[in-house]
Amino acid sequence: MTSFSPEILAPAGDSDSFLAALAAGADAVYCGLKHFSARMEADNFGLGELAALTALAHSHGRRVYVAMNTLIKPGELAQAGRLLERMTRMVLPDALIFQDLAMVALARQTGFAGELHLSTLAAASPGRGVALAADLGIQRVVLPREFSIDEIKTVARMLPPNLDLEVFVHGALCYAVSGRCSWSSLLGGKSGLRGRCVQPCRRRYRRKGEAQAFFSCDDLGLGVLVRLLGEVPAVRSWKIEGRKKGPHYVFHTVRAYQLLRDHGRDPKARREAEDLLAMALGRPTTRSFFLGHKPRSPLSLRPQTGSGLLLGSVAGGPQPRVQVREALMAGDLVRVGLEDAGGSFTVPVRRSIPKGGRLDLSRPAQGKPVFLVDRRPPELVHILRTWRAKLPAAPPTPNSDFAPKLPQPKPRTRPTRPIHLHAWRRLPARLPRDGEHGIWFLPGVERSISRHIFRRLWWWLPPIIWPEEEAAFAEHLEDVERLGGRRFVLGAPWQRALLSSRAEAWAGPFCHAANALCLAALADFGLAGAFASFELDGESLLALPGSSPLPMGVVVGGMLPACVARIRADSIRDGEPLISPKGEVFWTQRHGSLFWTYPNWELNLSAHQQELLGAGYQVLATLHEWVPKTVPLKERPGLWNWEGGLI
């Protein structure tokens, strides 16, 4: 038992899961709407349905947080604002979860009165940068899942009193750092930043003749280790991931962590909690990086990457069927295939089937694995029915004619000579004379660079800096500034805290600036310019500079990473080709503490440079990366989402 009482925060992707969370005793529930949710594969909620559920939650002293946590394109601000205004009037949620900084301004303009919670997709780090969130009016930060308990404590010590923390304790893990993965977007415009991830990290990749799920992670499961979070008063919320899960999972995980919070010193309660988690129908669990002195790789390298309890595989023949390894009861839900692969589907169980019995399927699926993903035992059905009977009627949906107040765009002055910027991992022995140059910064890299060019360089910071690295980065960046370095490209806006007020800091492409209100927030942060998100489609890229209060840059060429991670399978080496089921080739490369995964084709927007300059971009950047000889570059247009669009 802790000396204070952090809330148990439960996920809900549909009304049954929401009611299961309330029935299990969750202190708060988080959920998404039909639009602007980073879990668009969940059912999510209409405003009327959510208003009734929220009223029920409030009548029992529970809180409701709504996630509008997607990247917002330039033309979507009015739509997002109208939805937020209607929700503010109708639902009255207690907090708004977001990643795009535009939501801060939209919340103010629509009269939203709840708290503002910064999503883990914002990659808030390092510690002194997290503290900056309070300056934007943010009350809570959801930390990256990769933090160790020591890093959580480091961040907590730096917080102002009006800012608290939320930490994931259970649920699915992404291979990449949240908000630093564009793998799905790269393969067809379905962006994880917009809730459309097709989860290429769950696929099996060929390496030296073997095919394995090299990037697939087990689920996070802190279990009894949550007692360590009880020593950090700034951690006010224990978060359970799982908005795509059913009520069985939600009910069992909430009950388990409630027991661990309230009776964590009781051995009987701990055993009961572990039993509940074992019945939750997730993947096998890992503590991952949580114990920093004893980290465990969350990578599973198992052939079956799906969640749920494996029941068997589909046999062929005229009647597709599976001989189940566990008894099933009427109301259970099984999934045929992996949820992360195409062609999977769910099947409701209509009658009880004993262990070893046969479940008949109505469609062919020979060889596909079958998983039990949700249970509806009679007692849970009764509980849900009882809570559903308490729901009030949904109120009428109000109209909204909201129009956002946008910042004054930066005046278009007479044409200036554009900057063609080349960013390098290691500077060439002789710098090309065309354009300007930048260097990816890691502590110590400045020692290999002639001091007389410090002022001319653009210093590029990595997409995330971990709290354990903060002191080293701060010390070496101070040296760079002292020796003349003045222009810095940030991997996240929070890195502004590592620089002096004299530094000219630009938001880099990993900050995913995508609309005028986000750019205005970056300007309020004291940034001098911003690069557009490299995930944007051509129409959005061309529209953005005309509404920007900041000078704009854009990446037009070079190697863009599919993702950036803190881990890599032990068997993989730098530069080794990894071939996807569709024949795409990727490779990984370590830079500092991060592992970057690249595709075998380059971004190339050279055909559109004049359009981009005409739209108002002042800096055109090319990212130069070492390409291993074992990875042949593929000839393809390299337009990313320019023509196909960002979904």
Side-chain angles (χ1 to χ4, degrees), residues 363-375:
R363 51 199 282 195
Q366 185 172 357
K368 287 190 175 183
V370 179
F371 298 87
L372 174 63
V373 294
D374 193 28
R375 304 220 80 152

Side-chain angles (χ1 to χ4, degrees), residues 35-48:
H35 302 282
F36 301 106
S37 166
R39 286 291 183 273
M40 292 305 295
E41 297 304 315
D43 288 344
N44 294 316
F45 297 88
L47 289 176

